Amino acid sequence: MTATYATHGFGESPEVELDDVPVRGELPQWLTGSLLRNGPGTFQVGSQRYRHWFDGLAMLHRFTINEGRVSYANRFLETESYRAARDEGRIAYPEFATDPCRSMFARAMAVFDPQVTDSAKVNIARVAEHYLALAETPIQVEFDPETLRTVGVTGWDTSTFGRMTTVHPHLDETRHEAINLVTRYGAVSSYVFRRVDTRDPGLLEGETISSRAVREPSYIHSFGMSERHLLLVEFPLVVNPVSLLLWLRPYIENFRWKPSRGTRVHVFDRATGKHVRSVTADPFFAFHHVNAYDDEDGSVVVDLVAYDDASVIESFYLHRLSEPDVQIPRGTLRRLRIPLAGADERLQAEELSPTGIELPNIDYGALNTSPALRFVYGVGVRGERGFYDQLVKIDVSAGTTATWHEPDCFPGEGVFVGRPGREAEDDGVTLSVVLDAARGTSFLLVLDAASFTEVARAELPHPVLLGYHGQFYGDLPLA
C-alpha cells in the first residue's frame, strides 16, 4: 500500500462527463452497452471524515462502449444524505460504521426520530424497468441510466426504520420475478422474503413469500436461491435488536460474534414459502453467495465466499486501510451441501479453491441456479499483506486459478459479459474499474475472459474511488 493509494483510493471522485475516453488496445466489436457502477464518491464532508469503506456518499458511474469507443460519466446520487452534506457541510445521517450523533442528547433524540441514510451506494439492479441504486437500508433510489440523474425513492418494504435488506436481490427473468430478503428488527424480529413481479411497471410494492422469527438477527448481505428453494444462511454475527433501537453506536458495531451458535442454514420452498429444513454448520462468515442449485441426490448446494470469522469487517475501517502493512483476511470459495431429509448432522463447508477471492461474479443470466457453473471471477490479494491488487478467475471444475495484476494497481469487481452466440461459458470479456495508484488515475480494464489477458483499457484522467458492485446492460440507449 502506498501513500498515493491512500490519498486517491479514499479521497473524492470529481463529477465529470467525457464523450471520448482514450482507449489503449482494441475493444471487441461485439461489445456494446453500458457498465453501470456504484460506490462511494467521497469519504470527506467538510471537516468530518467517514470511518469505513462501506460508508460515504453514493456516486454512480457509467462507461458506455460502442464501436470500439468509450464514453464516461459519473454523478453523485441526489439523496437526502447528499443534500445535507452539500448544503450543511457535515455528515447528517448515520452510516454503516459512522455515527454523526456525537452528543448523548443527540443520540437520545435519535431514538425518537431516527434518520436512516438513503445513500444507496452498494449495488445496482434493474427491476420492472426501474434502475435502482441499492443499499442495505430498504430505501432504494431510482435513477435514469442515461443521465445518472436521481428519479426518486422506492423500497422492498414499507418502513425505513427497523428494516434492513440485502443488496443482492435475485432476478429470474424466466419467472418474471425479483426476490430479496428483509430483516425486520423489533421486540420480535423476523427475516422476510419479498417478491416483485418484474412485468409490473408500478411501485414495486411486491408481496411476502415467507418469514421466520428470530431473537438475535444476523448481519446478512446476500442470500441463496436455487430453482426450487430459497436459502437463508444465518452467520453467528448477531445483534440484540434493543441495541439498534437505542442507537448508541453505529449500526455494525452493535453486532457480536458468537461462534458457539454455529452457522444456521434455513431452507424454504421458493414457490410456497414453506419452511423445508434448518441445519447447523461450523461457524463462518460471508458477505457474498456465489450460486446455489438443487442436486440430483435430493440436497441443496450453496457456494459462498467464506471467512473463518467476521474480522474482515474490522479490516475495512479507513484508518486501517491507509496503513502501509494493511492485511485483509482471505475469503475462499466454499461449498455447503444441505440434505433435505435424514438425521440432523453438523455440516462442514468444503473449500473449492485455496485462492483468496472477494466480490465474486458469474455468468448470472445464463448459469445462476445451475450445477453446470464452472467459472467464478473476483478480486484477490497477491501477497500476505495489502489491499485487493489482482483479479482472479477460479475454475471450480478443474481447481485452477488465472490472475491479472499490475504494480500499484487495485482492481474493482470483475463483471463478466458474454459474447452473443457463445458456446463456451467463458467466451466473453471481464470488465473491471482499476485504480492506478502510481499515476493517481483509474481505467476501465477489458480482459479476454477465456485467457484472462488484457485486450484493451480506457484511461480516465482522474481516480475513481474503490467501489463495490455494478451491472452491464447491453440494451441501454447509447449515451
Side-chain angles (χ1 to χ4, degrees), residues 16-39:
V16 299
E17 188 168 345
L18 304 171
D19 292 333
D20 196 0
V21 179
V23 174
R24 187 196 309 178
E26 187 173 348
L27 292 164
Q29 286 300 308
W30 60 262
L31 184 60
T32 300
S34 293
L35 174 67
L36 302 179
R37 297 284 299 160
N38 202 349

Side-chain angles (χ1 to χ4, degrees), residues 408-447:
D408 297 319
C409 284
F410 302 88
E413 174 192 46
V415 177
F416 174 79
V417 182
R419 183 180 65 83
R422 66 191 181 280
E423 295 182 359
E425 179 182 334
D426 59 352
D427 182 3
V429 297
T430 301
L431 306 177
S432 175
V433 180
V434 181
L435 173 68
D436 185 335
R439 298 175 60 190
T441 59
S442 292
F443 58 90
L444 175 65
L445 174 68
V446 183
L447 297 180

